[in-house]
Amino acid sequence: MERALVNLTAATVAFSLLFLLSQSNPPTSPPPPLLFPPPHRGARPSMILPLFPSPKNPSRSFQNTRRHLLKSDSKSSNPNARMRLYDDLLLNGYYTTRLWIGTPPQRFALIVDTGSTVTYVPCATCEQCGRHQVVKLIGSRISFNQDPKFQPESSSTYQSVKCNSDCNCDKSMVQCIYERQYAEMSSSRGVLGEDILSFGNQSELVPQRAVFGCENAETGDLYSQRADGIMGLGRGDLSVVDQLVEKGVISDSFSLCYGGMDIGGGAMVLGGIYAPSDMVFTHSDPVRSPYYNIDLKEIHVAGKQLPLDPSIFDEKHGTVLDSGTTYAYLPEAAFVAFKNAIIKELDSLKQIRGPDPNYIDICFSSGSSNVNVSELSKIFPTVELVFGDQKKLLLSPENYLFRVSFSLCDCFSFNWEFCSVLNVHYVSSNFLHVILIKHSKVRGSYCLGIFQNEKDLTTLLGGIIVRNTLVTYDREHSKIGFWKTNCSELWERLHRTGGQSPSSSSSGKDNSTVESPTTSAAGGSSRYALPGEIQIGEIRLDMSLSINNSYLKPRINELTDFIAVELEINASQVRLLNFTSEGNSSLVRWAIVPSESSTYISNVTAISIISLLAEHRVKFPVTFGSYKLVQWKVKPNSQQPWRQKHYSTVILSIIIVIIVGLSASAAWVIWRHRQRNINSYKPVHVAVPEQELQPLES
């Protein structure tokens, strides 16, 4: 639970082995003893829960070693940090978010883990850290680019945490250290540092100083995983949530919303949100265990209660909710009852072999290769979790099934012959060949994503249980809420409803252009400094590429998509202004503009974009050669909100419409009155004036 262990599918094992062949084997420390035996030894994306108690001497530099909960309402005016989630359970086994550390900001992809109590990233001094890479989809191409390590010397705001009575110290008693060991035989250790953490341009919460881990060594799955590190959301003094709460900048709550079977991604909010009226809450006792537990009493399959004593879900650590675990794991008796109930309900479906030859998965063929996720409930039974107050959480099939589809595999050129025998489909090639492995299993098949937790009595509910579910961890009121929703749409709603920094609303009247040449001189963060908290309407970038104009022209759209992916923005935000030839090189001018749902670019995002390009932390494909950021500019947002910009026009239009309407109504009344006078009925005996005859014209 302290981190997400990913044992990949059979195809992904090949993927991992090929990747590791390209790297030297890291020295590893002796594996720690297993607290839990693995739930199964098959190669699949599963997580193991190492339930380590909180350390007696938590590694932190704060003088107050006890966390004081803020007595604030989740509906208070405290800002929150709204952050996008990436990846999915099937291909990655976890969800990640982007966190920026330092000044200028350095970006990292971190696994969001409610079972971890520390946030850490690889340090520049680490000689035993893996080559962490994030999969990037650029059009129809897939790219693997190595992420840089955190460089403390490049951050003007970094401070090491000096040895004190509240932390574990290094051998020289100079600096605070941390060390984490996990049940899947991986480990992380390093030093503690303090720096500015930024939460992205959708966040209301301004950057905050916080303590984090700078890794000096990692082993096992931590070494080979794609994500850079872990973002700890658990209970503990080093937790990001606890630090922000103790500072008083957020209320004592956070929320996660994982995408569904088809989409992935999702949203995360650090701080309070308005809970929907129909959100289902259950008690979460912080004294029961150091992890987020819920008061589970019953499980129903197709409306029928499983014949289980409710106490089975309260053994050992109880029922634990862990975002870093992929699947769900039940005690033996509960799993057997659940499995039998599912098989009984699906007796008409063909039971087939799973994707892992080393493990007997419980899989079924749906009979169709094109079943929509929304139609799965017509084939598979519903499942309900019943809590202590008899409130129920309805699980759709995507909350307990995983689809047998495809996995990613990457091969270096010298391993191409090996990969070619694995039934692959070629996608792209640079120095790294990227391919898709399609399973030869029955298409349209689904397997249970709930397993037996070996002989352990803890009930562990991982990410699959809360797909397309907003989960609110209301720590202040010791409860956890669940609300079924489309998490991809939830992010869009959060994206549209806010995200402006409180300090940025007072500026933006200055229309001057902030401009700076980019040089190689060491200037720290000052070369990216922006004057005040302006609302940025455009970032203009002049970039020199070491390829000629005729070669670049037909590939400019591909380059645009690549830049958007690398900078973590939408392709519609990247606009090509012009490009010219300079001998054998090209000079390209770009403009980065706000997204469609926003009116400005935050300073944090602007500095991140500029520093990524200026410090060559964006790795271009070899087809585009090398690049240099020659100059950058930022222009304040000169656009008023639509309501203000068109206020007078709207008022004038309304007045005109009212006048025209009244005039038309008056004209109609007059016309009707005249018609009645002309055509009114006259009795025969009534004398009427003679009509004067007009003389005929000769």
Side-chain angles (χ1 to χ4, degrees):
M1 178 172 174
E2 278 275 346
R3 69 164 300 283
L5 164 64
V6 182
N7 295 324
L8 300 171
T9 60
T12 315
V13 169
F15 163 83
S16 302
L17 290 175
L18 293 171
F19 176 74
L20 290 174
L21 285 174
S22 66
Q23 308 175 55
S24 58
N25 292 328
T28 59
S29 59
L34 284 173
L35 295 187
F36 293 152
H40 51 70
R41 292 173 174 80
R44 68 178 57 259
S46 64
M47 309 299 170
I48 302 172
L49 174 67
L51 290 169
F52 292 100
S54 300
K56 294 182 180 179
N57 295 315
S59 301
R60 59 172 300 166
S61 62
F62 306 118
Q63 294 300 317
N64 183 6
T65 60
R66 180 179 295 273
R67 176 173 59 84
H68 297 285
L69 296 179
L70 296 179
K71 299 301 181 182
S72 61
D73 193 306
S74 62
K75 299 181 181 180
S76 69
S77 59
N78 284 344
N80 55 36
R82 301 175 180 179
M83 305 170 70
R84 188 182 294 274
L85 296 183
Y86 302 84
D87 306 308
D88 60 36
L89 293 180
L90 181 60
L91 295 182
N92 307 90
Y94 49 72
Y95 288 86
T96 62
T97 191
R98 303 296 183 261
L99 190 68
W100 288 259
I101 304 176
T103 308
Q106 302 176 41
R107 182 186 61 182
F108 298 94
L110 304 181
I111 297 172
V112 291
D113 191 359
T114 59
S116 291
T117 57
V118 63
T119 295
Y120 52 82
V121 297
C123 209
T125 56
C126 183
E127 298 180 354
Q128 301 178 27
C129 290
R131 297 175 57 188
H132 302 292
Q133 299 174 328
V134 176
V135 180
K136 300 180 184 298
L137 182 62
I138 307 170
S140 61
R141 299 166 63 98
I142 300 176
S143 172
F144 289 87
N145 293 332
Q146 181 175 350
D147 287 351
K149 301 172 182 176
F150 179 71
Q151 300 178 353
E153 69 279 358
S154 298
S155 175
S156 61
T157 51
Y158 175 82
Q159 291 181 350
S160 62
V161 179
K162 301 302 181 183
C163 181
N164 61 78
S165 60
D166 294 326
C167 77
N168 298 321
C169 300
D170 58 11
K171 294 180 179 178
S172 58
M173 303 299 290
V174 173
Q175 193 167 358
C176 289
I177 62 172
Y178 79 94
E179 185 170 3
R180 293 293 185 271
Q181 294 182 334
Y182 306 106
E184 75 275 10
M185 300 183 182
S186 64
S187 64
S188 171
R189 65 177 184 272
V191 298
L192 291 179
E194 187 177 9
D195 210 333
I196 301 295
L197 269 58
S198 304
F199 308 99
N201 61 349
Q202 302 304 323
S203 174
E204 294 177 334
L205 183 65
V206 298
Q208 300 288 329
R209 291 196 68 86
V211 176
F212 68 99
C214 202
E215 277 188 318
N216 284 328
E218 58 186 14
T219 65
D221 283 354
L222 284 174
Y223 184 93
S224 59
Q225 70 184 14
R226 293 276 177 199
D228 296 314
I230 301 293
M231 184 173 183
L233 302 174
R235 292 188 177 102
D237 292 328
L238 281 178
S239 167
V240 170
V241 177
D242 282 71
Q243 293 188 58
L244 296 178
V245 168
E246 189 166 3
K247 284 176 174 287
V249 295
I250 66 171
S251 57
D252 197 7
S253 176
F254 69 93
S255 299
L256 294 172
C257 200
Y258 284 176
M261 183 178 287
D262 286 334
I263 299 176
M268 176 172 69
V269 180
L270 301 181
I273 62 173
Y274 286 91
S277 58
D278 55 344
M279 176 171 271
V280 177
F281 282 96
T282 179
H283 180 64
S284 180
D285 185 0
V287 181
R288 175 68 177 79
S289 76
Y291 308 106
Y292 297 111
N293 56 77
I294 59 177
D295 189 22
L296 180 63
K297 296 297 184 183
E298 302 171 9
I299 297 180
H300 296 180
V301 175
K304 304 169 187 175
Q305 181 180 347
L306 298 183
L308 297 170
D309 188 323
S311 63
I312 194 172
F313 302 112
D314 197 38
E315 298 290 340
K316 201 170 183 180
H317 296 282
T319 299
V320 175
L321 193 65
D322 180 25
S323 70
T325 293
T326 303
Y327 297 136
Y329 299 92
L330 303 178
E332 182 177 6
F335 170 73
V336 171
F338 177 79
K339 176 192 68 173
N340 292 340
I342 292 291
I343 293 176
K344 182 179 179 181
E345 292 295 326
L346 299 176
D347 59 348
S348 61
L349 293 186
K350 179 183 178 182
Q351 193 166 346
I352 61 173
R353 291 285 302 274
D356 183 359
N358 298 317
Y359 184 77
I360 303 177
D361 277 301
I362 301 171
C363 303
F364 304 90
S365 173
S366 65
S368 173
S369 60
N370 296 312
V371 179
N372 189 284
V373 173
S374 61
E375 298 175 347
L376 288 179
S377 57
K378 299 178 183 178
I379 304 172
F380 296 91
T382 58
V383 174
E384 291 175 310
L385 302 184
V386 183
F387 303 125
D389 53 5
Q390 291 303 303
K391 291 184 178 179
K392 298 178 181 179
L393 173 63
L394 179 66
L395 303 184
S396 60
E398 72 173 343
N399 297 122
Y400 64 86
L401 296 175
F402 68 91
R403 178 190 288 131
V404 179
S405 55
F406 65 88
S407 302
L408 287 175
C409 175
D410 66 298
C411 304
F412 287 86
S413 56
F414 59 81
N415 282 327
W416 176 251
E417 293 79 10
F418 176 77
C419 286
S420 63
V421 302
L422 295 178
N423 185 23
V424 302
H425 173 62
Y426 183 69
V427 174
S428 66
S429 65
N430 286 318
F431 70 97
L432 181 65
H433 296 289
V434 183
I435 56 182
L436 294 178
I437 298 181
K438 294 190 175 181
H439 283 290
S440 58
K441 306 298 178 184
V442 180
R443 300 185 67 182
S445 58
Y446 298 85
C447 304
L448 284 186
I450 297 180
F451 304 96
Q452 180 180 333
N453 201 7
E454 291 296 335
K455 298 301 180 183
D456 193 272
L457 299 179
T458 299
T459 298
L460 176 60
L461 304 181
I464 193 172
I465 296 293
V466 291
R467 277 173 168 171
N468 275 333
T469 305
L470 174 66
V471 183
T472 294
Y473 297 78
D474 187 348
R475 309 186 336 161
E476 180 179 355
H477 301 103
S478 300
K479 61 182 181 179
I480 294 177
F482 302 90
W483 185 57
K484 296 292 292 183
T485 186
N486 186 317
C487 286
S488 59
E489 292 181 359
L490 174 76
W491 168 254
E492 294 304 324
R493 289 200 295 272
L494 293 177
H495 186 84
R496 289 193 297 265
T497 55
Q500 294 191 2
S501 170
S503 60
S504 64
S505 59
S506 60
S507 60
K509 295 182 179 180
D510 181 11
N511 293 323
S512 61
T513 299
V514 183
E515 181 175 350
S516 173
T518 299
T519 67
S520 58
S525 62
S526 60
R527 2 171 221 183
Y528 313 120
L530 302 177
E533 285 289 330
I534 64 173
Q535 289 188 349
I536 299 171
E538 179 183 283
I539 306 172
R540 186 163 292 186
L541 306 165
D542 290 347
M543 185 183 298
S544 176
L545 295 172
S546 63
I547 55 175
N548 60 47
N549 205 24
S550 59
Y551 180 83
L552 175 62
K553 189 173 182 179
R555 298 169 175 82
I556 196 69
N557 290 334
E558 184 180 348
L559 179 59
T560 302
D561 291 339
F562 176 84
I563 289 177
V565 171
E566 285 294 303
L567 299 180
E568 298 287 354
I569 57 179
N570 298 324
S572 61
Q573 294 180 248
V574 183
R575 299 178 183 175
L576 174 67
L577 300 182
N578 61 61
F579 61 94
T580 58
S581 178
E582 292 186 341
N584 291 328
S585 61
S586 301
L587 183 63
V588 186
R589 173 165 290 179
W590 308 92
I592 309 297
V593 298
S595 62
E596 295 179 356
S597 57
S598 182
T599 58
Y600 73 100
I601 302 173
S602 71
N603 280 24
V604 172
T605 301
I607 292 175
S608 175
I609 289 173
I610 294 166
S611 62
L612 282 171
L613 292 169
E615 298 170 9
H616 290 82
R617 289 189 279 132
V618 172
K619 304 300 181 183
F620 274 35
V622 293
T623 53
F624 295 110
S626 60
Y627 77 94
K628 179 181 179 182
L629 184 61
V630 179
Q631 183 175 265
W632 59 268
K633 304 176 184 178
V634 294
K635 291 185 176 182
N637 180 24
S638 59
Q639 294 183 349
Q640 295 176 317
W642 188 92
R643 195 176 300 174
Q644 297 177 8
K645 186 175 182 180
H646 301 281
Y647 180 79
S648 58
T649 303
V650 171
I651 295 299
L652 181 60
S653 299
I654 293 174
I655 293 173
I656 292 174
V657 169
I658 292 173
I659 293 174
V660 171
L662 291 175
S663 300
S665 299
W668 181 82
V669 170
I670 294 172
W671 178 81
R672 289 289 297 171
H673 179 71
R674 288 180 177 178
Q675 287 296 108
R676 281 196 296 267
N677 289 338
I678 293 173
N679 300 319
S680 59
Y681 170 76
K682 303 291 184 181
V684 175
H685 63 278
V686 175
V688 295
E690 293 183 356
Q691 300 295 326
E692 183 179 358
L693 296 178
Q694 298 297 325
L696 295 175
E697 295 182 0
S698 57

